[in-house]
């Protein structure tokens, strides 16, 4: 398979979308970015700007702000926050592209998303993060053995399009994992985000309250992991199954250390915090709904 044969649209030009666009373009794929307003203009005028070892660099990128129904791509990566995922899929409903890859959390499953785009849906989750400051991408890559892009069919089958997508990531030298239980994985990840980010923004990570915030993370994480297990969700990664059994003080120490990192300091910047908090609020609301349906 030649990389140039693949036509890919990144629907959402935030951190995640920008990183995928950069990596896929470097690998030779035909990549377009869908962006709006100031981000669209910035990408048009200045290219995709990114921070690299103390230097701001820029690469030209094809950017669009409208999408015609007959403008067909091999894959559309939907790289928006969870609370915006449904509106993004509604915008893509009538586009004829065969594969729509949702790069976001989901705490309630995929029935509503499949109701919009049908079997074209291919759930996934990104393996990196970062921030955009003054139009410049600051990517944050975790060690490859810890974090990778996860994706898989809703029914767990390893289909041709899953294998083809794996080839895309191989060509771009992006670590990936094919999951057979994407719903379980995303619900578990949602629990993690609800505990970490919900407690972080609720407590504002004030140094004087670090221990209190860490304990809140511990309590919330343990409680939700127990609840999803009781609801019949397979906790994934399996390592998380031991979390409810661990002494709370051990988890507290780990979370105190995390709360004192530069990453958390960056996450508390107003623009990032406000957006992330909206996503976490929606995740928790939908997780509560999901658990209620399972127990009902």
């Amino acid at each position: 398979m030649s990389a140039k044969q693949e036509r890919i649209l990144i629907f959402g030009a935030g951190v995640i979308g920008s990183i995928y666009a950069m990596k896929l373009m470097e690998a030779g794929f035909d990549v377009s970015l869908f962006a709006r307003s100031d981000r669209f203009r910035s990408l048009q005028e200045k290219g995709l700007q990114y921070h690299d070892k103390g230097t701001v660099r820029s690469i030209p990128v094809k950017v669009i702000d409208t999408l015609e129904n007959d403008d067909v791509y091999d894959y559309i990566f939907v790289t928006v926050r969870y609370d915006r995922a449904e509106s993004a899929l509604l915008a893509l409903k009538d586009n004829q592209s065969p594969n729509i890859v949702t790069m976001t959390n989901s705490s309630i499953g995929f029935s509503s998303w499949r109701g919009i785009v049908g079997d074209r849906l291919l759930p996934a989750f990104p393996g990196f993060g970062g921030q955009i400051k003054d139009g410049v991408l600051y990517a944050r890559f975790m060690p490859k053995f810890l974090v990778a892009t996860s994706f898989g069919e809703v029914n767990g089958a390893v289909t041709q399009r899953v294998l083809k997508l794996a080839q895309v990531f191989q060509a771009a030298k992006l670590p990936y994992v094919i999951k057979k239980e994407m719903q379980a994985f995303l619900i578990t990840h949602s629990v993690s985000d609800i505990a970490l980010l919900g407690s972080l923004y609720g407590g504002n990570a004030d140094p004087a309250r670090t221990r209190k915030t860490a304990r809140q993370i511990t309590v919330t994480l343990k409680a939700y992991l127990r609840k999803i297990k009781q609801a019949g969700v397979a906790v994934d990664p399996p390592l998380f199954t031991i979390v409810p059994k661990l002494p709370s003080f051990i988890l507290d120490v780990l979370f105190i250390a995390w709360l004192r990192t530069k990453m958390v300091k960056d996450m508390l910047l107003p623009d990032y915090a406000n957006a992330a908090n909206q996503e976490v609020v929606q995740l928790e609301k939908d997780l509560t709904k999901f658990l209620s349906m399972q127990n009902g």
Side-chain angles (χ1 to χ4, degrees):
M1 180 190 72
S2 169
K4 293 182 180 179
Q5 291 177 333
E6 299 303 304
R7 192 164 186 253
I8 298 171
L9 174 65
I10 312 293
F11 194 90
V15 171
I16 303 302
S18 296
I19 295 175
Y20 276 115
M22 182 172 64
K23 291 295 185 181
L24 292 169
M25 284 190 295
E26 287 176 352
F29 290 96
D30 181 357
V31 178
S32 297
L33 260 173
F34 182 95
R36 292 251 174 91
S37 304
D38 292 344
R39 185 63 173 157
F40 172 76
R41 287 188 289 273
S42 175
L43 289 165
Q44 265 196 327
E45 296 168 6
K46 301 176 182 178
L48 202 168
Q49 296 178 290
Y50 63 98
H51 184 265
D52 179 31
K53 299 177 182 178
T55 301
V56 175
R57 305 185 187 279
S58 177
I59 53 174
V61 59
K62 289 191 288 186
V63 58
I64 62 173
D65 62 353
T66 57
L67 178 64
E68 301 298 331
N69 291 339
D70 60 355
D71 188 10
V72 177
Y73 296 82
D74 295 286
Y75 289 94
I76 297 180
F77 289 8
V78 180
T79 56
V80 300
R81 300 194 319 258
Y82 173 69
D83 53 309
R84 295 182 175 179
E86 187 164 312
S87 62
L89 292 176
L90 285 168
L92 297 171
K93 181 178 180 180
D94 295 324
N95 181 270
Q96 298 169 23
S97 299
N99 303 298
I100 298 179
V101 184
T102 48
M103 292 280 184
T104 187
N105 265 319
S106 174
S107 56
I108 201 167
F110 309 119
S111 60
S112 64
W113 292 355
R114 294 185 80 187
I116 299 170
V117 298
D119 291 337
R120 294 182 294 160
L121 179 72
L122 186 59
F125 195 80
F128 35 69
Q131 289 178 285
I132 292 177
K133 300 177 185 178
D134 299 322
V136 178
L137 171 68
Y138 291 76
R140 184 170 60 243
F141 296 98
M142 300 290 285
K144 293 182 178 181
F145 67 90
L146 285 178
V147 182
T149 300
S150 302
F151 59 93
E153 297 285 2
V154 172
N155 64 5
V158 181
T159 58
Q160 282 300 115
R161 68 173 180 170
V162 164
L163 295 174
K164 189 175 177 182
L165 185 57
Q167 291 180 330
V168 169
F169 288 120
Q170 284 177 348
K173 297 181 180 178
L174 287 168
Y176 68 90
V177 175
I178 297 174
K179 291 277 187 182
K180 291 190 175 182
E181 291 284 350
M182 276 303 298
Q183 178 166 312
F185 172 75
L186 290 178
I187 289 174
T188 305
H189 196 279
S190 296
V191 164
S192 175
D193 275 0
I194 290 165
L196 290 166
L197 303 184
S199 301
L200 175 63
Y201 298 129
N204 295 317
D206 183 335
R209 300 188 61 190
T210 297
R211 291 183 181 277
K212 184 176 180 180
T213 303
R215 175 49 60 95
Q216 185 178 345
I217 295 172
T218 295
V219 170
T220 305
L221 183 60
K222 282 189 170 187
Y224 272 128
L225 285 173
R226 290 190 185 104
K227 287 179 180 179
I228 65 171
K229 186 176 180 180
Q230 290 169 0
V233 175
V235 175
D236 184 11
L239 182 64
F240 271 44
T241 59
I242 69 170
V243 169
K245 303 172 187 176
L246 289 174
S248 293
F249 77 87
I250 293 177
L251 293 172
D252 290 351
V253 169
L254 294 174
F255 294 136
I256 287 171
W258 176 73
L259 287 164
R260 290 173 174 165
T261 62
K262 183 182 183 300
M263 179 178 73
V264 168
K265 183 179 179 181
D266 289 342
M267 289 166 65
L268 287 168
L269 294 172
D271 288 348
Y272 185 99
N274 291 338
N277 188 52
Q278 291 175 37
E279 181 176 32
V280 170
V281 167
Q282 189 64 50
L283 280 171
E284 187 162 22
K285 179 181 177 182
D286 286 350
L287 179 62
T288 300
K289 182 179 178 181
F290 172 80
L291 292 172
S292 176
M293 290 189 300
Q294 299 306 110
N295 295 328

